[in-house]
Amino acid sequence: MLAIQDLYAPDYSHCWGCGAAHPYGLHLKSYLSEDLTYCYCHHTPAALYTGGVPDNLYGGFIAMLFDCHGTAAAAALYLVALGEPLTAEHLQRFITAHLEVDYLAPTPMGVELEVRAYPEEVTDRKVILTLELLTGERITARGKMVAVKHRRPTPSA
């Protein structure tokens, strides 16, 4: 199964968190669930991303996970809402307009994390998502994102 990020056009593949073309990036991969109701991503952060409290993940890293996974999820869930297939030809790039994060419990290091994104609202130009960060069955952070369709600037005449 191809990840959503693997369908990005080359111009949109340079993000440090999720861009396949970034030479030093994390290369996060997001997938649409089998029932097409949410998107998920698995990642085990390296030890260098610990926060101010030893053995806990840095909160900014959690925000980055929500940001990168959320924009990929918005693109996929937008296509689901339209009844379109998830292909490179149909995929449109979404960018973050608003992101809020609630840190519910410390997120431990050394475990695989799962990030989930659920659509709340899909319109012709934006997707509103609820995001969750899980360690096993425990939710350690929740977020809300407004992602909007990216519009390429038109060249000046």
Side-chain angles (χ1 to χ4, degrees), residues 2 8 14 19 38-39 42 47 51 56 72 83 125 129 131 134 145 155:
L2 279 177
Y8 287 170
H14 298 282
Y38 70 97
C39 292
H42 293 130
N56 289 300
R125 66 175 295 268
L129 301 167
L131 300 151
L134 296 98
M145 169 185 268

Side-chain angles (χ1 to χ4, degrees), residues 2 12 34 38 65 70 85 118 121 139:
L2 279 177
Y12 294 111
E34 286 187 27
Y38 70 97
L65 288 172
Y118 300 92
E121 179 182 338
I139 299 172

Side-chain angles (χ1 to χ4, degrees), residues 19-77:
H22 195 293
Y24 308 108
L26 296 176
H27 307 126
L28 298 173
K29 303 289 185 186
S30 301
Y31 301 92
L32 193 54
S33 66
E34 286 187 27
D35 65 1
L36 309 179
T37 60
Y38 70 97
C39 292
Y40 65 92
C41 171
H42 293 130
H43 183 72
T44 303
L48 66 107
Y49 299 114
T50 190
V53 176
D55 300 320
N56 289 300
L57 185 60
Y58 168 58
F61 194 92
I62 294 169
M64 179 278 305
L65 288 172
F66 281 173
D67 182 46
C68 287
H69 175 63
T71 55
L77 293 165

